[in-house]
Structure formats: C-alpha cells, structure tokens
Amino acid sequence: MNVLTDAWGWLTTSANWHGSDGIPTRFVEHFEYSVEAVLIGALIAFPLGLLTGHTKRGGLVVTSLANVARALPTLGLVVLLVVVMGVKFRAVMIPLVALTVPPILLNTYEGVRNVDPQLTDAAKGMGLRPWQVLWRAEVPAALPLILTGFQFAAVNAVANTAIAAYSSFGGLGRFIIDGLATTEYGEVAGGAVLIVIAAILNLLFFILLRRIFISPGLQPKKLAG
Amino acid sequence: MNLFPHIPSYLGTYGSLIQQQLTMALLSVLFGLIAAVPLALLCVRYPKIYPPIVAVLTVVYSLPSIALFVLLVPSTGLTQTTVIIPLTLYSLAALVPNIVEGVRGIPEDVRLAAVAMGYTGARRLVAVDLPLAVPPIMAGLRIATVGNVSMVSVGTVIGVGAFGALFTVAAQLSRSDLAITGVIVIVLLALACDLLLVVTQRLLTPWNKRRPR
C-alpha cells in the first residue's frame, strides 16, 4: 500500500470535488473555522497582551496560562463539549478559541514588554501620549513577535480544526474520520495531504504578512552572497 | 463527582493507560533531544545552515498531528511508533532553536575564561557551554514535554491514544464523565512532568538562585 498513490487516486477522482462534502466545500469550511477561531482569540488576547505588556504586570499569569493551554487535549475538550452541548458550532469553537488565545497573549505581552526602553523614552520625550506611545512605538517595534504569536495561533487553529472533525464537525478532518470509518484509505490519505497543504498555505500567508507589515528597520538582514 | 469513573475493561486500567501515555510522550521528547543536540551544535558551528533548518522545523511544527499519524499508518502500522515519530519531530522543532540560542547566548568573557583555563573542544562543550545553556534548553524541553503528553491522546484516532481512548469511548457512549476525567488527568500529567523539569533545572543549575521562569 502506497500512501501517495492512494492519496493521488482519491484526489484526482472528480466526484470528490463536488457537492456539500466535496473537497472545495471542506476546504472553505476549514478556512472559515480557523480564521474565526483566530479572530475571536485575537479579540480576547490582543488587548490583554497590550495591557499586560505595556504595564509590565501580570507576566506570571500570562505565562502560566500559556503553559496550561499547551497541556489541554483538544480532542478531549471537543468531545466533552459536543457530548454536553450537542453538535453545535459553539461546542467546537470554544476549544479552538481556547487554544488560539495563549500564543497571541504570550507573544504580544513579551513583545511589548521587551521593547527597548530608549525607544519608548524617546517617544515620550517627543510628546506622545501613552496611547500614542503604545500604537506608534511599542506595537510596531513588537510586531515581529506579535505576528509570531498570531502565526502559532493560526497553526493551532488549522491543526485543531482537523481534530474537531472527530465530533461530527466539518472541515478537512472529515475526510480522515470518514475514511477511517469506512476503511477508505485513499480518502484518509487524501484528507491528510489536504490538511498538510492547508498548514503550508497558512505559513506562506504569514511570510507574506511579515514582508508587508514589519517595518524595514526590523526586517531580518539578508545574508550576503 | 467521581474523578475515576468505571471504564470499559477492554481499555485496560487507569494505570496502564497513564503508563502508555507517558511512555509515548517522554520517549518522543528523549528521541527529540538526542537528535536536537548534535543538530543544534552544527548550527552554532556553521551559522549559515541555521536559517534553512529553522524554516524546515517551522514547517514540520505546523503539520497537524492527526494528518501525520494517518499518513504513517501504512509504513509503521497501528503502533506506538506511529505516534512517537511525529511527536519526536515536534520535540526536535521546539528544542533546536532553544539550544542554539542558549549556546550562542553564552557571554564572550565566560567563553574566553574557559579557554584560558585550558578547556578546549568537547570538554568545553560538556563542562561549560551546555551547563550554561541549561535554562533555555529546559524551556524547550518543557514546551515539548507538556505538548506531547497532551497530544498523544490524538493517537486514539488510529487506536493508539493511551488515555485518549477515554475520549473515543466518551464520544461513542455520550459519557461526559469520561471526557472530563480524560481532560483533567491529561492536564495533571502534563503539569506534573512540567514541575519535575522545573525541579530538575534547579538541581542542574545551583548557581541560579532565582526561580526559573
């Protein structure tokens, strides 16, 4: 049995590209759930990260929270909430968001907290108000780390959306779970390949974001030659 | 609530499930560390290979475990090996940057003092460089260990999930008590391993009186 030929065979079967359980539909679902998880996570975590980083308080809480979140088994949370609440969008979104909050919070906190004090002093000296110091000096300087936090959050979201399929949820993970249930290994392998592609597209998106948003002075230096 | 509700006997006992969970998680960290140290030292020695290696590790780290498990099944079967291989790769990805930054972060005067005292080559590495790099290395080990202990449970999708098997049964029988027990026990196991590593770090670096973060 060869994984790639099985996957290829399934991926090139045109019937798999149509309908409400076709590849394009599942791909869009996966994308939507992941984006939504990151956005809701960001709404919660980004302001908290700015606040804790700017005031340099609450570091222990932030780091402990990140550690506990890493210990949380997504699969268990999804199963638990689906058993308790039924197959609802919220039952799956809560665990997904729980795992996008910590990386954004931790990296925003660390990034803002560690901005060179000379920079913030200079900004204050130029007469900027505390809000302006935050938005015009601290956030741009901390942006590389903040984006890393969002990237980890997005990686978590893509991976955990795949796992969430275990509880009758949509997205690309469905192919793996359904394929295992019907012992169609081609579907399982094809689904896994699609998830890998989604994960890589996600990384490429963040490379692009860095190019666009990070101030040229903070871009990593290109190696000569 | 009873933290240890009755589990179907075909799953085994709580003890055996916990043992499987820890075996898979910790072996992965161990293999990851064994591979990461030489790789990281090569990166310190030849800085040009570091950025491409970091890029590859970032990609590896972003690949969802569930996909890697099922892709490995035809090669390694429904075995613990199938779970251990991806987790080893994740551990490697968490460890290499920490070891590299740790060894690079050793102050130049310390390095020069060691050289002046006659430490060269491998002896300096073992007696000076690696001990001083313990805090960042331990930070990487903690991330890898905590993540692995919890991620082993995804293996239940291919029937090798150790404690994660509780989630499968919880979903099949709609038993929330099993899911709660599974989540609580796995979090506690992960945090207990984390605590052990923190204690180990304090023992390994007696010169750092301050509590490691």
Side-chain angles (χ1 to χ4, degrees):
Chain A
M1 187 158 49
N2 185 319
V3 192
L4 291 177
T5 31
D6 282 355
W8 184 251
W10 181 79
L11 286 170
T12 49
T13 304
S14 80
N16 297 328
W17 288 84
H18 302 290
S20 62
D21 56 354
I23 293 168
T25 317
R26 294 296 187 207
F27 208 96
V28 170
E29 282 174 353
H30 206 106
F31 179 77
E32 280 176 8
Y33 303 150
S34 306
V35 169
E36 193 149 338
V38 174
L39 288 182
I40 299 175
L43 277 179
I44 300 167
F46 190 55
L48 278 178
L50 291 180
L51 183 73
T52 49
H54 182 72
T55 59
K56 305 191 199 299
R57 279 163 198 274
L60 188 66
V61 176
V62 170
T63 44
S64 314
L65 201 69
N67 209 22
V68 172
R70 255 194 294 275
L72 284 175
T74 323
L75 184 69
L77 288 182
V78 171
V79 168
L80 175 62
L81 287 170
V82 166
V83 169
V84 173
M85 300 167 60
V87 184
K88 289 205 184 86
F89 186 65
R90 246 188 315 166
V92 175
M93 203 40 81
I94 291 171
L96 292 188
V97 170
L99 293 159
T100 56
V101 165
I104 298 176
L105 180 57
L106 183 66
N107 284 278
T108 307
Y109 164 76
E110 290 286 353
V112 173
R113 187 179 69 117
N114 289 322
V115 169
D116 187 350
Q118 287 189 356
L119 186 73
T120 45
D121 284 349
K124 281 176 207 156
M126 286 167 68
L128 297 190
R129 300 179 177 285
W131 271 111
Q132 292 174 315
V133 174
L134 183 65
W135 276 116
R136 293 171 61 182
E138 288 178 325
V139 169
L143 202 56
L145 217 59
I146 294 175
L147 276 181
T148 303
F150 274 82
Q151 180 182 321
F152 276 121
V155 164
N156 279 352
V158 170
N160 291 324
T161 300
I163 292 171
Y166 196 67
S167 294
S168 339
F169 202 59
L172 294 169
R174 277 260 53 84
F175 296 127
I176 292 183
I177 304 298
D178 294 344
L180 285 172
T182 54
T183 60
E184 285 281 337
Y185 190 71
E187 185 177 2
V188 175
V193 168
L194 290 173
I195 291 171
V196 166
I197 291 173
I200 290 172
L201 286 178
N202 177 32
L203 283 185
L204 291 177
F205 172 69
F206 275 93
I207 292 176
L208 191 70
L209 274 190
R210 268 170 227 280
R211 287 271 162 81
I212 299 173
F213 285 110
I214 293 182
S215 151
L218 294 168
Q219 294 276 8
K221 300 220 168 30
K222 294 219 168 55
L223 288 173
Chain B
M1 188 204 119
N2 181 5
L3 179 57
F4 294 105
H6 178 71
I7 52 172
S9 56
Y10 58 83
L11 287 184
T13 61
Y14 278 101
S16 64
L17 290 176
I18 289 175
Q19 192 206 334
Q20 290 164 23
Q21 185 96 12
L22 291 179
T23 307
M24 285 187 266
L26 299 183
L27 274 182
S28 310
V29 178
L30 182 67
F31 295 151
L33 182 64
I34 291 172
V37 170
L39 189 59
L41 293 177
L42 275 178
C43 291
V44 173
R45 185 77 195 272
Y46 306 102
K48 272 203 170 168
I49 64 169
Y50 185 49
I53 286 183
V54 166
V56 172
L57 293 178
T58 308
V59 172
V60 166
Y61 193 79
S62 77
L63 302 179
S65 52
I66 192 173
L68 296 185
F69 290 161
V70 297
L71 286 176
L72 280 172
V73 165
S75 322
T76 48
L78 303 173
T79 62
Q80 297 199 342
T81 313
T82 307
V83 174
I84 290 174
I85 292 172
L87 296 188
T88 299
L89 292 174
Y90 295 145
S91 309
L92 187 68
L95 284 167
V96 169
N98 278 286
I99 303 177
V100 172
E101 303 301 336
V103 174
R104 277 186 184 170
I106 295 171
E108 193 56 28
D109 46 357
V110 173
R111 205 186 296 264
L112 291 175
V115 173
M117 286 170 70
Y119 284 100
T120 51
R123 257 188 84 220
R124 198 187 80 205
L125 181 71
V126 174
V128 182
D129 290 359
L130 286 180
L132 284 175
V134 161
I137 295 176
M138 287 305 262
L141 273 179
R142 289 176 62 190
I143 291 175
T145 307
V146 171
N148 279 0
V149 170
S150 120
M151 233 182 309
V152 164
S153 49
V154 178
T156 192
V157 170
I158 56 161
V160 219
F163 223 77
L166 263 69
F167 302 140
T168 304
V169 179
Q172 285 164 351
L173 307 178
S174 287
R175 277 186 53 185
S176 55
D177 58 336
L178 286 180
I180 293 173
T181 301
V183 170
I184 292 177
V185 171
I186 287 172
V187 169
L188 290 180
L189 280 180
L191 295 182
C193 292
D194 191 46
L195 189 68
L196 271 181
L197 286 173
V198 173
V199 172
T200 312
Q201 177 175 348
R202 294 186 79 172
L203 295 177
L204 283 177
T205 57
W207 56 89
N208 275 344
K209 287 284 183 231
R210 281 180 49 220
R211 204 170 146 269
R213 276 195 303 140

